């Protein structure tokens, strides 16, 4: 009886199936939506899974995503996308996206038509990508076990046999909008674990990069204690010790408790840095600040005006000139005149002087509370001897009258001398700026020869002019 009953049931089932086919019953067709492998999507979901929201853009839903088990799903809202980002695991995770997708940004709708455009959108929004996270962690937390294989931006497969080849390929041969595209599987070495790990897909790569501890957070504040002396107060987390550097030179080690550096600087450009390492940040993190140390000494200056031969006017002209209590004029180190607030109305910030021929150093100098060692500004003044001295003469009843006749004769001091048989008979000095005449009268004995000389005062003997006269 059981056999007969079983045959009866099978016959009834067959008759029912035949009846359905005859009624043209349609079975569900498989979804043929075309999807593309998307590292940019995995990057975005990785960001969402770390509870970071996206404000730069939003999708126009629904989105069609394909899981690693080849199941196609449709995402209808942002909250659903957030949920999916947290429900992934190494066994089942999102791996592909159906392009194009629409996004809204700044009240506009735009179409993203390719994986490259999606990656560049993340870059423009400054969102974490595989590229940014990889650059932060590579050689800090891990290294690749070479050889590895990458696909360049032109979709060409490139074997990478060594670290040097990776650096050349990644940083030199690929543009800044290149999204790393690995051929899986490959291995990495985690420094903290001292072990090799096989990476089978992009999701697993993100899992390893996410587990890399971040580098220490470093910061310091700068304050000026006094002229040329500064204090730096560091704030650190993620490291027990750190190092201070000034202009690339190691200064001292610091800790969270000993976190202050006090240092004096020379005026000019300087850079102060702190550097710290951690278990997953073997190359170390660096925080630096560049700053300019201003010279606390007044920047003195004066302008030089030539008023005549050997006659100069020096006019002080510098910032805060009218705020200085005192500054002084010197010639060849010898004090000549004082200016500044202490001089009251007598301070005109000018210095006038007539120089004899020679070389001179004219300086202004000052000291202040912030500049106790003093500062100065100097200029060189050179006064040359006159090249062409000359004089005329007239025969008189008792001798001769000699008259100086050369350019600038009113502006220089010159000396007359009369010699009889190498003995000085008489001489005369005419001062520069004098109102007296340029004559030199010499009374002479008849039949005697006299030597008459004219020279400029101030060490100009080599240019002396002499002539012999007989009365």
């Amino acid at each position: 009886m059981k056999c007969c009953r079983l045959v009866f049931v099978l016959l009834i089932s067959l008759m029912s199936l035949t009846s359905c086919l005859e009624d043209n019953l349609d079975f569900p067709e498989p979804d043929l939506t075309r999807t593309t492998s998307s590292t940019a999507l995995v990057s975005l979901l990785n960001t969402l899974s770390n509870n970071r929201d996206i404000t730069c853009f939003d999708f126009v839903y629904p989105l069609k995503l394909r899981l690693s088990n080849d199941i196609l799903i449709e995402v209808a809202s942002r909250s659903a996308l957030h949920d999916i980002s947290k429900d992934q695991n190494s066994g089942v995770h999102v791996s592909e996206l159906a392009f194009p997708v629409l996004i809204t940004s700044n009240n506009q709708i735009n179409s993203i038509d390719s994986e490259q455009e999606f990656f560049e959108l993340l870059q423009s929004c400054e969102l974490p990508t595989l590229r940014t996270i990889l650059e932060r962690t590579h050689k800090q937390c891990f290294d690749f076990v070479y050889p590895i294989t990458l696909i360049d931006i032109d979709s060409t497969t490139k074997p990478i046999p060594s670290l040097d080849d990776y650096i050349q390929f990644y940083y030199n041969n690929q543009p800044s909008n290149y999204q790393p595209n690995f051929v899986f599987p490959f291995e990495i070495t985690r420094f903290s674990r001292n072990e090799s790990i096989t990476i089978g897909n992009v999701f697993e790569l993100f899992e390893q990069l996410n587990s890399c501890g971040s580098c220490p957070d470093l910061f310091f504040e700068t304050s000026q204690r006094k002229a040329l002396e500064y204090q730096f107060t560091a704030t650190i987390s993620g490291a027990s010790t750190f190092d201070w550097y000034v202009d690339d030179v190691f200064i001292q080690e610091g800790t969270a408790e000993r976190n202050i550096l006090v240092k004096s600087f020379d005026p000019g450009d300087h850079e102060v840095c702190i550097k710290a390492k951690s278990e997953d940040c073997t190359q170390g993190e660096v925080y630096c600040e560049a700053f300019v140390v201003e010279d606390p000494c007044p920047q003195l200056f004066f302008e030089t005006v030539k008023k005549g031969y050997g006659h100069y006017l020096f006019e002080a002209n510098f910032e805060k000139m009218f705020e200085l209590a005192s500054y002084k004029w010197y010639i060849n180190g010898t004090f000549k005149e004082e200016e500044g607030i202490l001089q009251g109305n007598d301070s005109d910030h000018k210095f006038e002087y007539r120089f004899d021929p020679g070389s001179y150093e004219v300086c202004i100098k000052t000291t202040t509370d912030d500049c106790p060692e003093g500062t100065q500004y100097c200029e060189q003044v050179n006064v040359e001897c006159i090249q062409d001295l000359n004089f005329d003469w007239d025969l008189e009843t008792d001798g001769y009258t000699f008259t100086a006749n050369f350019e600038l004769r009113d502006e220089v001091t010159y000396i007359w001398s009369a010699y009889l048989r190498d003995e000085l008979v008489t001489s005369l000095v005419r001062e520069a700026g004098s109102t007296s005449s340029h004559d030199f009268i010499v009374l002479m004995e008849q039949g005697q020869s006299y030597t008459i000389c004219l020279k400029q005062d101030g060490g100009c003997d080599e240019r002396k002019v002499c002539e012999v006269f007989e009365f």
Side-chain angles (χ1 to χ4, degrees), residues 360-465:
Y360 304 89
E361 185 181 57
V362 180
C363 299
I364 48 176
K365 302 179 182 181
T366 191
T367 58
T368 65
D369 292 341
D370 289 335
C371 186
E373 300 298 322
T375 185
Q376 65 180 22
Y377 174 79
C378 301
E379 286 190 5
Q380 198 74 19
V381 173
N382 295 310
V383 180
E384 300 289 340
C385 294
I386 294 176
Q387 299 288 329
D388 300 315
L389 295 177
N390 188 35
F391 60 85
D392 300 326
W393 59 90
D394 288 313
L395 181 63
E396 306 292 348
T397 304
D398 298 324
Y400 282 86
T401 297
F402 302 97
T403 304
N405 182 16
F406 58 89
E407 190 178 0
L408 301 176
R409 66 180 185 175
D410 289 319
E411 299 182 37
V412 301
T413 297
Y414 59 86
I415 302 171
W416 290 101
S417 300
Y419 298 88
L420 176 61
R421 293 186 295 276
D422 296 329
E423 291 186 7
L424 181 64
V425 175
T426 184
S427 64
L428 177 67
V429 177
R430 188 193 184 277
E431 299 287 345
S434 170
T435 57
S436 61
S437 73
H438 294 280
D439 294 340
F440 177 46
I441 300 173
V442 180
L443 301 178
M444 298 182 179
E445 298 179 9
Q446 292 185 4
Q448 300 295 325
S449 294
Y450 291 81
T451 301
I452 307 301
C453 294
L454 175 64
K455 71 173 183 178
Q456 183 183 354
D457 192 22
C460 295
D461 288 351
E462 293 183 357
R463 301 193 183 280
K464 181 170 60 174
V465 175

Side-chain angles (χ1 to χ4, degrees), residues 164-357:
D164 290 341
D165 293 295
Y166 175 79
I167 293 172
Q168 177 67 30
F169 169 86
Y170 188 89
Y171 293 99
N172 298 337
N173 297 344
Q174 301 304 302
S176 60
N177 64 341
Y178 168 67
Q179 178 175 223
N181 190 358
F182 292 91
V183 175
F184 297 95
F186 60 84
E187 291 187 344
I188 65 171
T189 300
R190 287 289 297 271
F191 299 143
S192 61
R193 302 177 187 175
N194 195 25
E195 62 178 347
S196 295
I197 301 170
T198 300
I199 307 296
N201 52 57
V202 174
F203 185 85
E204 292 180 5
L205 179 57
F206 268 106
E207 282 189 314
Q208 291 299 323
L209 300 185
N210 290 340
S211 67
C212 286
S214 61
C215 285
D217 289 328
L218 307 176
F219 180 72
F220 61 79
E221 294 181 338
T222 304
S223 59
Q224 188 171 5
R225 291 163 58 98
K226 57 184 180 181
L228 301 179
E229 186 176 275
Y230 289 76
Q231 176 176 308
F232 307 93
T233 305
T235 301
I236 66 166
S237 63
S240 57
T241 63
F242 65 95
D243 295 329
W244 288 102
Y245 288 82
V246 174
D247 298 332
D248 293 328
V249 177
F250 171 75
I251 303 299
Q252 66 186 41
E253 184 182 76
T255 65
E257 294 75 26
R258 296 184 293 105
N259 63 333
I260 294 177
L261 173 68
V262 177
K263 192 169 188 327
S264 296
F265 294 85
D266 293 329
D269 296 331
H270 297 277
E271 184 180 57
V272 174
C273 299
I274 51 177
K275 181 177 181 179
K277 298 180 181 181
S278 65
E279 187 178 58
D280 283 334
C281 189
T282 58
Q283 300 298 313
E285 181 71 12
V286 179
Y287 176 80
C288 299
E289 284 190 8
F291 61 101
V292 179
V293 177
E294 300 291 344
D295 192 340
C297 295
Q299 304 303 301
L300 305 179
F301 181 74
F302 61 80
E303 295 175 345
T304 302
V305 179
K306 185 176 181 180
K307 303 189 70 173
Y309 178 82
H311 183 193
Y312 286 81
L313 174 65
F314 306 97
E315 298 183 77
N317 182 13
F318 55 89
E319 188 179 359
K320 299 182 179 180
M321 178 175 68
F322 299 102
E323 300 175 20
L324 280 185
S326 171
Y327 65 94
K328 299 176 182 180
W329 294 95
Y330 292 82
I331 296 178
N332 288 347
T334 301
F335 168 73
K336 294 296 181 181
E337 191 173 297
E338 185 173 10
E339 302 284 344
I341 295 175
L342 294 178
Q343 301 304 306
N345 294 331
D346 292 334
S347 182
D348 61 0
H349 305 286
K350 298 178 181 180
F351 173 53
E352 193 168 355
Y353 198 80
R354 292 181 182 273
F355 297 89
D356 291 330

